[in-house]
């Protein structure tokens, strides 16, 4: 069942890393976010101290900061923020979430 869950999640989301940022909320939260672009420790700490766009998102902001740093300073594609890194991290989070929900259901339902 675990392999089927992983395979089905990957089947649905596998093309995601090839997509660019969407114009809906990615500019506001990632591309034009002054706390991520350019990435800095001060920018990462901002998310722990204050709300951003009305949301208190310290863990998400820290993850975005790490991805922005990696995208701009470590990634071979270093012309700004790399959407593939952000989308790949999102895919990984979806995989982990599917497995966590499955584990909870096994505990609850026996």
């Amino acid at each position: 069942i675990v392999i089927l869950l992983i395979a089905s999640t990957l089947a649905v989301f596998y093309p995601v890393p090839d997509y660019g940022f969407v114009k809906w909320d990615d500019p506001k939260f990632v591309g034009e976010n002054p706390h991520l672009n350019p990435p800095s420790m001060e920018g990462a700490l901002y998310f722990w101290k204050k709300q951003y766009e009305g949301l208190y998102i310290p863990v998400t902001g820290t993850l975005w900061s790490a991805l922005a740093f990696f995208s701009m300073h470590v990634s071979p594609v270093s012309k700004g923020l790399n959407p593939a890194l952000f989308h790949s991290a999102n895919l990984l989070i979806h995989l982990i979430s599917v497995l966590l929900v499955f584990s909870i259901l096994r505990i609850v339902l026996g």
Side-chain angles (χ1 to χ4, degrees):
I1 292 177
V2 171
I3 293 172
L4 180 63
L5 289 170
I6 291 171
S8 60
T9 303
L10 288 175
V12 170
F13 291 108
Y14 82 92
V16 168
D18 294 332
Y19 298 151
F21 289 123
V22 295
K23 293 180 179 160
W24 182 49
D25 64 350
D26 286 344
K28 182 187 301 185
F29 286 99
V30 180
E32 297 169 5
N33 186 334
H35 308 290
L36 295 179
N37 203 357
S40 67
M41 183 61 77
E42 182 179 317
L45 291 175
Y46 173 87
F47 295 106
W48 290 89
K49 297 175 185 175
K50 298 182 181 181
Q51 293 182 1
Y52 181 73
E53 293 294 325
L55 300 171
Y56 182 65
I57 50 172
V59 176
T60 304
T62 303
L63 175 62
W64 287 343
S65 296
L67 291 171
F69 178 82
F70 185 79
S71 178
M72 292 188 132
H73 298 292
V74 180
S75 173
V77 180
S78 60
K79 294 179 182 179
L81 299 176
N82 183 353
L85 292 174
F86 286 84
H87 294 322
S88 296
N90 193 9
L91 174 58
L92 181 62
I93 290 168
H94 274 81
L95 281 170
I96 292 168
S97 297
V98 165
L99 297 176
L100 282 173
V101 168
F102 176 67
S103 297
I104 290 168
L105 286 173
R106 283 189 67 191
I107 292 168
V108 170
L109 300 177

